[in-house]
Structure formats: structure tokens, C-alpha cells
Amino acid sequence: MYKGILHSHYLVVVLFLLIYVIKTILLLSNKNDLLAKFSKKVKIAEIIISVLFLGTGIYLSTQLPLGGKYDYLFWVKLIMVFLAIPIAVIGFKKSNKILAALSLLLITGSFGLAEVYSKRKGERKEVINNELAQNDGKSLYESNCASCHGSNGKLGLAGAKDLTATLLDVSAINKIILEGRGLMIAINVNPEEANKIAEFVNGNIKGH
Ligand code: HEC
């Protein structure tokens, strides 16, 4: 479910941006007749895309891994999107080039911010790993896995699987930690740490 919605969100965001880029280019190059024709043609599609954009976005915002230090970037992104939309509506209604361009800038800026946000999440994990004095399986699990899987393994954020129900053995869990699989990115730990975590998951979470 998470995966399907994530992919739909990407697709809808790209379509949304595409329509806005075309409209803004037409407005900026004074092709007002063409702009009116284009706007009329895509009107229904635009309404559907906007609803899907918001719907999938709201769902995904409920699936953010817990306790991220860079979560504010996500909220800045959200504010930029919500500012961009009314500015765009007014901009196109009044054929105001500055507002239209500003809105496009906000939307593309928020797109870039989403990228920075994903990267920072990875960096944060590394910092926590270095700070860990006691590198035992449980604390490694807490700092690397619990944000999506939860302390009990059942949280299931961001499309994560329920680890209490896993059928995998230590070596298969180890492999997923180090190499990632599907929506789960490879986790930034060394093989020794991965092994400790896998033992912990196998002995204390699986089947509990
Ligand atoms: C950013 C979120 C996230 C983090 C952090 C994360 N996982 Fe996952 N995990 C997932 C997702 C999503 C899946 C489903 C992968 C797929 O699509 O196949 C998953 C799947 C798994 C599975 C497979 C379960 C099964 O039965 O198929 C295991 C095992 C697992 N994770 C262990 C871990 C361990 C151990 C850690 C920490 C070292 C960890 N995960 C950290 C998101 C995460």
C-alpha cells in the first residue's frame, strides 16, 4: 500500500510540475491565447491531479519515520507547496508573470528540499552510530531500525514489514540490513554491527 501510494505521489508530482512549467512558459512568453487554450484542455486533469497530489501527500506525511532531526525540512517543503498553490492561482488569473514565476520557483524549490531531506536522513544515522558507546544489538536496533519498524518491530512506517512476523533467519536479515531490499535502503552499519542487530531481531523480535 505504502509503495503504491509513494509511486503514485511521484507520478502525480511530476505531472503537476509539467503542467505548471508549460503554463508559466506560455505566460512569460506572452502566448496568452495558447495559455487559455491549454488551461481549458487540462482543466479536468488538473483538478484530478491536484486532489491526488494532496491525498497521497497527506497519507505519506503520516508515514514519516519517527524522531528525525531533519523533519523540519519536510515541513518547510510542505509550507512552500501550500504557499505556491494560491500564488499560482492568483498569478494565472491576473496574468501576473512575477507571481507565476514565484510560484514555480517555490514548487521546484520544495522538490529540491525533498531530495536534501532524504539525504540528511542517511547522514543522521551515521552520526548516531559514531556516538554509540555501547554497540550492542538492542541499542543498534533502536538507533537504526526503530524509526520505521518500531521498538517492538510492529510499527510499519514507510512501508516497513512487521518484524515479529518475519520468516527470515539471521543470515537473510543480515543481508537485508547491509544491502537493503525493495523500499528499505541499506543501513549504514559495519558487518559486525549488522550481525549483532540480526541476532537481536532473530532472538528478541521475531515471533514475539
Ligand atoms: C527507512 C525505514 C526503514 C528502516 C530504518 C529499516 N527498515 Fe527494514 N524494512 C523497511 C521496508 C520499507 C521494508 C520492506 C522492504 C521491501 O519492500 O521488500 C523492510 C523490510 C525489512 C525486513 C524483511 C522482513 C520480511 O519478513 O520480509 C527485515 C528483516 C528488516 N526490514 C530489518 C530491518 C533492520 C534490522 C533494520 C535496522 C538495521 C531496518 N530494517 C531498518 C524499512 C526500514
Side-chain angles (χ1 to χ4, degrees), residues 1 12 14 24 31 33 41 45 47 61 73 75 81 95 98 110-111 118 127-128 144 151 154 159 164 178 206:
M1 157 107 154
V12 165
V14 169
T24 309
K31 304 232 165 43
D33 288 349
K41 274 228 169 73
I47 292 171
S61 70
L73 285 176
W75 297 108
V81 171
S95 297
I98 294 176
S110 64
F111 210 60
S118 321
V127 171
I128 292 179
N144 292 288
S151 294
K154 292 184 190 172
T164 64
L178 291 173
K206 181 173 148 184

Side-chain angles (χ1 to χ4, degrees), residues 20 79-92 99 103:
Y20 267 95
I79 292 169
M80 282 168 85
V81 171
F82 278 105
L83 274 179
I85 292 173
I87 293 178
V89 171
I90 298 171
F92 285 109
L99 287 183
S103 161

Side-chain angles (χ1 to χ4, degrees), residues 2-3 65 121 125 140-141 144-149 157-163 165-168 172-173 176-177 181-185 187 189 197-198 201:
Y2 176 83
K3 197 172 178 175
K121 272 195 307 192
K125 295 237 170 64
L140 283 167
Y141 175 86
N144 292 288
C145 321
S147 57
C148 295
H149 290 285
L157 286 180
K161 292 256 162 77
D162 178 354
L163 295 182
T166 187
L167 300 174
L168 301 173
I173 297 173
I176 291 184
I177 297 172
R181 192 192 75 196
L183 282 176
M184 180 175 149
I185 45 159
I187 305 294
V189 291
I197 302 173
V201 171

Side-chain angles (χ1 to χ4, degrees), residues 53-101:
F53 181 17
L54 286 181
T56 53
I58 289 168
Y59 171 78
L60 290 174
S61 70
T62 67
Q63 296 293 308
L64 284 182
L66 302 178
K69 185 170 156 196
Y70 293 101
D71 279 359
Y72 72 92
L73 285 176
F74 172 83
W75 297 108
V76 173
K77 172 186 110 173
L78 211 66
I79 292 169
M80 282 168 85
V81 171
F82 278 105
L83 274 179
I85 292 173
I87 293 178
V89 171
I90 298 171
F92 285 109
K93 204 164 225 161
K94 306 210 149 149
S95 297
N96 185 318
K97 291 177 184 169
I98 294 176
L99 287 183

Side-chain angles (χ1 to χ4, degrees), residues 19 23 37-52:
I19 292 180
K23 279 187 164 183
K37 259 192 217 155
F38 179 76
S39 301
K40 207 170 161 194
K41 274 228 169 73
V42 297
K43 195 166 181 180
I44 303 286
E46 212 179 339
I47 292 171
I48 296 171
I49 288 169
S50 304
V51 170
L52 288 175

